Amino acid sequence: MLPLLKDKKLYLTVKDENCYWFSGTVTGYEMGDCSLNDLEQQVTELNKDPKKKFTSIDIVVDSVHCRFATIPALKHWPEQDVLDFLIHQKFQQVDINFDPNNFIILNDSLKFNQPCIVVAFQKTVYEKIIKIQSLLKIKSLMPSILAIWNYYESQLNQSSLMIVEDSFIYSVIYEYGIIHEINAFPSHLKDVLSYDHIFNFLENDYSERNSNILNFKLPLSIQFSNEIINNQFLNFMRFKNYG
């Protein structure tokens, strides 16, 4: 059961079929986990008390449940059907087995005259998440590699970031703070790919001092087990009010 928290915002990380949630203030926090299948029921029970219910949720989904395509800078905005065709074509260029019936494509962040990343969420995962939008506002929904990008963007002074997550490696190519390309590779290619910076979900060495290796560190005043950090750090990254 999700506890009755006083905070109005919930941070959620979706990994496989599990949800790891976090909510807190500058004076305290609570966290836990629940099944993705039970998320709607849990939030419904939480919102029975209008004085304690959440008003919004910030969600990050493991990138293994997503696909990525890059739309080049467009000097003229196309008709919607032309844009949809272009997006589907780009996804199939990245993955010849891409089936749009199995994904929900979100392109509401497209910007004029600059390269844009379009994200396709695995339909089975997306549909379980989106059920809760009738209960509270989904303030943000993004894949994990973009959450990593947002957190470290100001520290990246080169042109490529490699993110190692589960069985895939994601190569993020960027220039002047704008992502130009995201490519996925099998994880066994880690040692043969070049990069300027790297973040490894599986080997977050908290003692590492190499400036090219990005490690997530909590304030010294907060002590958690490695298991909790591994499950919750994407929530911690988005929560600004550490104790």
Side-chain angles (χ1 to χ4, degrees), residues 123-173:
K123 189 174 183 179
T124 54
V125 173
Y126 180 86
E127 289 179 342
K128 292 176 183 178
I129 293 173
I130 208 67
K131 288 180 179 179
I132 66 173
Q133 69 176 348
S134 62
L135 304 173
L136 70 170
K137 179 182 178 182
I138 299 178
K139 187 172 183 179
S140 175
L141 173 62
M142 70 175 68
S144 54
I145 63 171
L146 292 186
I148 294 293
W149 164 262
N150 288 341
Y151 185 80
Y152 288 110
E153 178 186 354
S154 62
Q155 304 176 37
L156 304 180
N157 54 10
Q158 301 294 324
S159 61
S160 65
L161 166 65
M162 185 165 74
I163 300 174
V164 182
E165 178 182 321
D166 296 322
S167 58
F168 289 97
I169 296 171
Y170 299 92
S171 173
V172 182
I173 308 300

Side-chain angles (χ1 to χ4, degrees), residues 5 7-10 23 46-47 52-56 136:
L5 305 176
D7 191 37
K8 297 296 184 181
K9 187 174 183 179
L10 183 67
S23 185
L46 178 66
N47 283 358
K52 296 180 180 179
K53 69 179 182 180
F54 296 114
T55 55
S56 65
L136 70 170

Side-chain angles (χ1 to χ4, degrees), residues 162 169 185-195:
M162 185 165 74
I169 296 171
F185 302 94
S187 59
H188 68 266
L189 296 178
K190 172 179 175 293
D191 295 331
V192 300
L193 295 174
S194 61
Y195 57 86

Side-chain angles (χ1 to χ4, degrees), residues 47-160:
N47 283 358
K48 287 181 179 178
D49 185 343
K51 295 181 180 180
K52 296 180 180 179
K53 69 179 182 180
F54 296 114
T55 55
S56 65
I57 187 169
D58 190 318
I59 305 170
V60 163
V61 178
D62 256 9
S63 295
V64 70
H65 299 301
C66 306
R67 300 293 184 271
F68 306 92
T70 305
I71 303 301
L74 301 174
K75 295 182 179 180
H76 303 284
W77 203 254
E79 297 293 331
Q80 187 60 48
D81 57 343
V82 176
L83 181 60
D84 291 342
F85 175 80
L86 174 62
I87 290 173
H88 282 85
Q89 185 181 53
K90 289 295 182 181
F91 274 110
Q92 290 177 335
Q93 288 175 354
V94 174
D95 180 0
I96 60 174
N97 296 317
F98 179 81
D99 183 351
N101 294 319
N102 294 331
F103 290 87
I104 301 296
I105 299 174
L106 302 184
N107 60 3
D108 54 344
S109 297
L110 292 183
K111 297 179 180 179
F112 180 70
N113 206 27
Q114 73 177 48
C116 296
I117 299 298
V118 179
V119 180
F121 289 87
Q122 198 171 45
K123 189 174 183 179
T124 54
V125 173
Y126 180 86
E127 289 179 342
K128 292 176 183 178
I129 293 173
I130 208 67
K131 288 180 179 179
I132 66 173
Q133 69 176 348
S134 62
L135 304 173
L136 70 170
K137 179 182 178 182
I138 299 178
K139 187 172 183 179
S140 175
L141 173 62
M142 70 175 68
S144 54
I145 63 171
L146 292 186
I148 294 293
W149 164 262
N150 288 341
Y151 185 80
Y152 288 110
E153 178 186 354
S154 62
Q155 304 176 37
L156 304 180
N157 54 10
Q158 301 294 324
S159 61
S160 65

Side-chain angles (χ1 to χ4, degrees), residues 6 18 28 41 107 124 164 168 177 197 203 205 215 218 236:
K6 294 181 180 180
N18 295 315
Q41 178 184 350
N107 60 3
T124 54
V164 182
F168 289 97
H197 301 278
E203 300 176 3
D205 184 353
N215 292 316
L218 285 169
F236 297 152

